[in-house]
Amino acid sequence: MKNKILFIGISTILFCSSAALAGCGDGLAKGTEIPSADIRSEHVYEDGKCTDCGYVASLWNGEAAYNFESGTGTSEDPYIIANAEQLAFFAKTAENVSFSGQYIKLNANIDLNGMEWMPIGNDSAFAGNFDGDGHTVSSFKITNPTAYTGLFGSISGSVSNLKVENFFIGYNIADTSILGSTTMACSGGLAGSAGSAEITGCSIEEGRLFITASMGVLYTGGCVGRISAATKLNNIYADTDIFCEQYGDGSEVDCGGIAGASAGTRTGAIIENCFSGGGIEVKTKGENMFTTNSLIKVGGVVGDMDIGNISGCATDCNITISGKEQKKYLNIGSIAARKDKDFENCFSMDTQTFIRYSESLDFYNLDYSAQITRMTPEGVKTQLQLLWDSQIWSFDGTAPQLKLFL
């Protein structure tokens, strides 16, 4: 696929062929030197190389731009992000600006070159409207623990039409003071936390989340770590690998293929028309937990659905539990481990597996069999075709996928 990327201020010399003048040289004569910050040069890329002039884009080095590509932030004229430097500028600006009521749009696939990433909206939630426009942000890592960890930290606005892939999020919580004023560590491929937010038409793929802790509460999900306050997740595809280890006596673990937990005291969240694959592994080591029986909650779609509703969701997310001590309390479910409301039209593929490596670990609420239909992958896809929009989802593969990213 050809990806069109706009660059401003290319500090190099371009020798474009005459056939490429309209796209790469903007009318300059063949062999003309293009000084830094002189013109806007447009290239059409395939496999990182311009198909017209052969220019190879430099890899991101972690630096931020000084502005967006263009735009004023309105719905008619959104801020445009065209490269990694501008995405980093957005993240840096979001440290102090919520972007409430403003609009941001991605107009290119962005490779973050495996660099350490600072989540967008970490200290204060991102409250604007981010449209990925069918593009992908890939190849980043986060190894510095914060309360809210993902491509976005915390969201109270909207994110749509975005694919996030090939990322690694991994850290250890040995002291909750590193989390600031909260004892929660919320991690997800797209976002750590979402409250009063809407996330729709997003795909999270080829990601790994590796979180360990001796204290605090771990909320870890393929898409979002923790959702609350009427947040809506709609048309989400997540295929990630999650590993969470509790090795102390004072930590709690909530893991899910889409979200780690839906929690809060206000109107519950809604998770609908979502599919999760990949796998979740939770390991416990500590000798004593708290006195309740719901401190480890693992589900194929969401770990703890304390408040809210799940409808039209399906999963093939494998779940593995290991540990040695008897004083661990575990809730596990194909869709959700613990729930406040009933499920509606939810399905588990019969290829989904549950593995327990220690008989001393007691399972509670292994499944809500009366509300979950377990069937073959083909059977699940047949059911989903009756429920889901065929303009949005493709059912050609072994699992449903969003057409926008095919």
Side-chain angles (χ1 to χ4, degrees):
M1 179 180 292
K2 295 182 179 179
N3 302 319
K4 184 176 288 187
I5 305 177
L6 300 178
F7 286 88
I8 296 178
I10 300 176
S11 55
T12 187
I13 298 176
L14 303 182
F15 295 95
C16 299
S17 65
S18 56
L21 291 180
C24 301
D26 235 9
L28 296 179
K30 180 180 179 180
T32 299
E33 179 177 337
I34 301 176
S36 177
D38 186 38
I39 68 165
R40 176 175 300 177
S41 181
E42 183 178 271
H43 298 272
V44 179
Y45 285 100
E46 187 169 8
D47 297 326
K49 186 176 182 179
C50 179
T51 57
D52 289 330
C53 71
Y55 174 74
V56 178
S58 60
L59 297 175
W60 186 50
N61 62 4
E63 295 183 355
Y66 293 101
N67 209 335
F68 294 107
E69 174 81 0
S70 61
T72 58
T74 65
S75 58
E76 296 81 11
D77 185 31
Y79 293 124
I80 297 297
I81 295 175
N83 55 43
E85 289 81 3
Q86 292 167 6
L87 188 67
F89 165 77
F90 173 42
K92 186 175 181 180
T93 305
E95 289 183 37
N96 303 304
V97 178
S98 71
F99 288 93
S100 178
Q102 296 184 297
Y103 293 79
I104 300 93
K105 189 174 185 178
L106 205 60
N107 81 338
N109 293 333
I110 294 179
D111 186 335
L112 295 174
N113 193 29
M115 301 290 289
E116 186 75 22
W117 179 250
M118 176 181 63
I120 301 164
N122 192 39
D123 293 332
S124 59
F126 168 70
N129 304 278
F130 185 93
D131 181 5
D133 197 31
H135 295 293
T136 300
V137 176
S138 63
S139 303
F140 64 90
K141 66 178 180 181
I142 301 174
T143 58
N144 297 319
T146 61
Y148 309 112
T149 305
L151 178 67
F152 287 80
S154 182
I155 299 172
S156 63
S158 70
V159 177
S160 61
N161 308 320
L162 177 66
K163 182 178 181 179
V164 180
E165 71 174 0
N166 190 25
F167 59 88
F168 173 76
I169 298 174
Y171 55 83
N172 173 56
I173 305 296
D175 183 350
T176 56
S177 64
I178 63 178
L179 301 177
S181 60
T182 178
T183 59
M184 300 184 300
C186 306
S187 302
L190 181 69
S193 175
S196 300
E198 183 169 356
I199 301 173
T200 182
C202 292
S203 184
I204 300 88
E205 304 177 37
E206 300 177 21
R208 291 183 299 141
L209 298 99
F210 193 100
I211 316 297
T212 63
S214 62
M215 57 183 66
V217 183
L218 302 185
Y219 295 113
T220 309
C223 179
V224 184
R226 183 179 186 268
I227 58 177
S228 62
T231 289
K232 183 176 183 179
L233 304 185
N234 183 42
N235 291 323
I236 304 296
Y237 175 90
D239 190 344
T240 61
D241 290 319
I242 297 172
F243 176 86
C244 287
E245 180 179 23
Q246 177 275 333
Y247 63 89
D249 295 332
S251 61
E252 177 179 343
V253 178
D254 291 352
C255 292
I258 297 293
S262 170
T265 58
R266 291 176 286 174
T267 304
I270 297 173
I271 302 176
E272 61 183 10
N273 300 348
C274 297
F275 181 85
S276 63
I280 300 172
E281 180 177 354
V282 174
K283 186 175 183 180
T284 66
K285 285 186 177 180
E287 295 184 0
N288 296 287
M289 296 288 279
F290 302 112
T291 58
T292 65
N293 66 351
S294 57
L295 292 171
I296 298 177
K297 291 154 283 188
V298 185
V301 173
V302 59
D304 185 1
M305 198 67 181
D306 181 45
I307 185 169
N309 293 282
I310 305 176
S311 64
C313 289
T315 184
D316 189 31
C317 181
N318 299 322
I319 297 173
T320 302
I321 307 295
S322 62
K324 297 180 179 180
E325 306 302 335
Q326 296 183 357
K327 297 179 181 179
K328 296 290 172 287
Y329 296 94
L330 171 67
N331 287 337
I332 185 171
S334 57
I335 297 293
R338 192 169 75 110
K339 66 178 182 61
D340 177 64
K341 300 291 185 180
D342 291 342
F343 304 138
E344 182 180 359
N345 295 322
C346 289
F347 308 91
S348 167
M349 292 185 176
D350 61 10
T351 49
Q352 182 186 28
T353 60
F354 301 91
I355 300 174
R356 177 174 56 182
Y357 283 116
S358 173
E359 292 301 322
S360 65
L361 286 167
D362 295 325
F363 278 1
Y364 291 83
N365 299 327
L366 180 59
D367 211 342
Y368 301 96
S369 58
Q371 298 174 29
I372 304 300
T373 303
R374 187 170 172 85
M375 58 180 64
T376 66
E378 287 302 319
V380 170
K381 288 194 297 179
T382 298
Q383 293 297 316
L384 295 179
Q385 288 181 68
L386 300 174
L387 298 170
W388 292 2
D389 189 338
S390 61
Q391 298 298 311
I392 296 175
W393 290 93
S394 168
F395 301 94
D396 293 337
T398 56
Q401 290 184 296
L402 291 167
K403 286 185 174 181
L404 184 62
F405 306 108
L406 295 179

